Amino acid sequence: RLLTESITNGCKTIYLEKPGAPTVAELEGMQAEAAAAGVEVLMGYNKNVCKYVTKTREFAAGVPDSHTTFVSNNAYENTPESLGECFERNAEGMLKNMAIHELALP
């Protein structure tokens, strides 16, 4: 939904937080949508101290009338079903998955 809205609103480059979507099929659909619209999609993990986030903010500050928006879409409900889905989707290991978000990036 957010990718489609961003494309509809004229974004030409979109930075997606990993994992990007719950399934590979959804990611492939997003890739096709972005390619059809000529939109570049970058994948990473957002850490507010990350040099890429800092450089994005610095760049936007130097461009008149520009703005940068960072959007979080953490839609988990506080239910056992939602938690189970989260663990299933992060089968590589919750500790590994969550730890990379907590590491300070140089």
Side-chain angles (χ1 to χ4, degrees):
R1 176 184 72 85
L2 294 174
L3 181 86
T4 299
E5 290 176 11
S6 297
I7 292 171
T8 300
N9 284 296
C11 292
K12 295 298 178 191
T13 303
I14 298 171
Y15 175 88
L16 258 186
E17 170 76 10
K18 70 136 204 86
T23 67
V24 172
E26 288 178 73
L27 278 174
E28 289 171 340
M30 293 165 67
Q31 179 184 29
E33 180 182 3
V39 172
E40 181 180 22
V41 177
L42 309 169
M43 179 67 78
Y45 49 90
N46 181 2
K47 178 78 172 168
N48 288 328
V49 298
C50 174
K51 66 181 176 182
Y52 304 110
V53 173
T54 302
K55 287 182 181 281
T56 299
R57 288 184 173 137
E58 290 170 355
F59 178 79
V63 177
D65 299 321
S66 73
H67 68 277
T68 301
T69 303
F70 295 97
V71 179
S72 173
N73 189 22
N74 189 358
Y76 292 115
E77 297 175 13
N78 188 15
T79 65
E81 296 79 20
S82 183
L83 183 60
E85 186 277 332
C86 178
F87 276 95
E88 181 180 318
R89 190 159 36 90
N90 293 288
E92 77 276 7
M94 284 296 291
L95 180 60
K96 175 184 173 187
N97 189 287
M98 294 298 140
I100 65 168
H101 286 88
E102 300 304 321
L103 297 175
L105 304 173

